[in-house]
């Protein structure tokens, strides 16, 4: 069945480009589905999904909690794992009692990072939203007291003389006994169920191809990770692409369910979603 090009959006982070590389470069059977790809920061991706600008999109699970009435979560493509959650860092020691009075940089109000920060300390009042890649420079300039870092920033922050305050993912894991659900791939409910099933098959095929043939997809990954060396790229992929990325198992599904319940239980900050 011929259908118009599917609007697909994901981030430039190595785990996303790794997952989609085979699909984007026609290295696998795409079942005659054409795609129109947009790459963007996670904060922008969440907004694109919110305003129905895409058909398939990588989003934070916090954002998905408030989009699930119009999007379905694909079985493939989720970022879940152990020891890979957002980190709260600073240029100075800060106690949890000081956090309500501190200015904290976050990579988006509707990001899972923000939800996990709120889970750790519910009374953080002074947040500053910025691109995830701008948080470490902002700390170096002392523009904020602390910041929640994600993606590859967790591998390099110590090189800047910054200190960990708490691993928000570790806090979640100890609290729930479940892997950390960070983000997933969602498809618009405007698409018919047959197309959604096709998209999930193709994405799974793309992920499995990348895992079996990493050398063939790395040029695409490096294209969007030019400032990262190969060791950081490899560490990033190994941390965020795992069996749950291929297909969500029961524990992965339970982790997503609990995170969504947590999101529903928090009072949303005006304009967050």
């Amino acid at each position: 069945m011929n259908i118009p090009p599917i609007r697909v959006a994901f981030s430039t982070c190595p785990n996303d480009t790794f997952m989609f590389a085979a699909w984007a470069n026609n290295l696998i059977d795409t079942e005659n589905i054409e795609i129109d790809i947009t790459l963007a920061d996670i904060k922008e991706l969440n907004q694109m999904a919110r305003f129905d600008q895409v058909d398939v999109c990588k989003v934070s699970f916090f954002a998905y909690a408030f989009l699930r009435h119009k999007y379905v979560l694909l079985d493939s493509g989720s970022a879940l794992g152990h020891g890979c959650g957002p980190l709260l860092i600073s240029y100075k020691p800060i106690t949890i009692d000081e956090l309500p009075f501190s200015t904290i940089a976050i990579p988006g109000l509707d990001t899972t990072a923000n939800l996990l920060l709120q889970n750790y300390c519910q009374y953080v009042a002074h947040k500053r939203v910025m691109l995830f890649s701008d948080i470490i420079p902002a700390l170096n300039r002392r523009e904020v007291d602390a910041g929640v870092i994600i993606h590859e920033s967790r591998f390099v922050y110590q090189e800047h003389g910054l200190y960990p305050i708490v691993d928000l993912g570790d806090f979640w894991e100890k609290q729930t006994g479940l892997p950390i659900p960070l983000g997933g791939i969602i498809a618009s409910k405007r698409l018919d169920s047959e197309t959604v099933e096709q998209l999930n098959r193709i994405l799974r095929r793309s992920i499995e191809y990348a895992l079996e043939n990493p050398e063939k997809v790395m040029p695409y990954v490096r294209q969007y990770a030019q400032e990262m060396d190969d060791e950081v790229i490899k560490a990033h992929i190994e941390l965020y692409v795992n069996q749950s990325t291929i297909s969500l198992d029961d524990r992965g599904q339970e982790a997503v369910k609990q995170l969504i319940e947590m999101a529903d239980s928090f009072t949303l900050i005006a304009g967050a979603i």
Side-chain angles (χ1 to χ4, degrees):
M1 179 179 64
N2 292 324
I3 61 174
I6 300 293
R7 297 170 298 172
V8 177
F10 51 91
S11 81
T12 59
C13 293
N15 60 306
D16 282 358
T17 51
F18 182 81
M19 289 194 302
F20 281 94
W23 191 353
N25 292 283
N26 294 307
L27 300 176
I28 55 169
D29 177 12
T30 61
E31 302 186 25
N32 294 319
I33 288 185
E34 295 183 14
I35 54 175
D36 179 11
I37 295 175
T38 299
L39 287 91
D41 172 78
I42 189 62
K43 178 169 63 72
E44 297 170 318
L45 292 170
N46 289 342
Q47 291 297 306
M48 291 169 68
R50 176 186 176 188
F51 292 109
D52 300 316
Q53 296 172 344
V54 287
D55 301 307
V56 175
C57 192
K58 168 68 173 286
V59 295
S60 301
F61 274 122
F62 187 22
Y64 172 63
F66 302 94
L67 294 169
R68 63 192 191 273
H69 63 289
K70 57 182 179 178
Y71 288 89
V72 60
L73 176 67
L74 296 186
D75 179 59
S76 292
S78 291
L80 282 82
H82 297 280
C84 63
L87 301 178
L88 180 63
I89 65 170
S90 179
Y91 58 86
K92 61 182 179 180
I94 295 179
T95 66
I96 189 171
D97 294 331
E98 295 175 284
L99 290 179
F101 311 101
S102 303
T103 300
I104 302 177
I106 59 172
L109 284 170
D110 54 357
T111 59
T112 305
N114 183 36
L115 177 62
L116 292 176
L117 172 64
Q118 203 75 19
N119 179 51
Y120 177 69
C121 182
Q122 295 187 30
Y123 303 105
V124 174
H126 308 290
K127 297 177 181 178
R128 187 175 299 177
V129 177
M130 58 183 66
L131 291 175
F132 82 90
S133 55
D134 291 339
I135 292 177
I136 287 178
L139 282 166
N140 287 334
R141 294 191 296 267
R142 307 300 192 259
E143 294 174 357
V144 292
D145 300 308
V148 181
I149 58 171
I150 58 175
H151 302 323
E152 61 269 19
S153 298
R154 66 178 291 119
F155 300 107
V156 299
Y157 75 93
Q158 291 177 316
E159 298 173 7
H160 296 265
L162 302 172
Y163 305 94
I165 300 172
V166 64
D167 184 325
L168 298 172
D170 183 61
F171 185 79
W172 158 274
E173 290 185 71
K174 289 177 179 175
Q175 183 182 44
T176 65
L178 293 167
I180 312 155
L182 299 169
I185 308 297
I186 59 175
S188 173
K189 291 183 178 180
R190 295 187 305 268
L191 302 171
D192 62 71
S193 59
E194 180 183 346
T195 300
V196 172
E197 289 175 6
Q198 280 184 286
L199 294 169
N200 191 75
R201 282 198 306 270
I202 299 166
L203 178 56
R204 177 169 181 156
R205 196 175 295 137
S206 184
I207 296 166
E208 290 176 334
Y209 181 94
L211 290 169
E212 293 169 5
N213 305 277
E215 72 287 349
K216 294 185 179 179
V217 301
M218 285 307 293
Y220 186 77
V221 175
R222 291 190 190 98
Q223 179 181 346
Y224 297 101
Q226 296 176 359
E227 296 182 6
M228 280 183 262
D229 62 41
D230 282 357
E231 288 305 311
V232 172
I233 292 173
K234 182 180 178 182
H236 187 108
I237 292 169
E238 289 178 348
L239 199 59
Y240 295 105
V241 181
N242 49 44
Q243 189 59 43
S244 294
T245 311
I246 297 172
S247 178
L248 279 175
D249 58 15
D250 290 343
R251 294 188 74 247
Q253 292 177 27
E254 179 61 26
V256 173
K257 178 175 176 287
Q258 287 202 25
L259 188 112
I260 289 174
E261 289 174 353
M262 178 186 292
D264 288 341
S265 71
F266 281 116
T267 301
L268 287 179
I269 299 171
I273 301 297

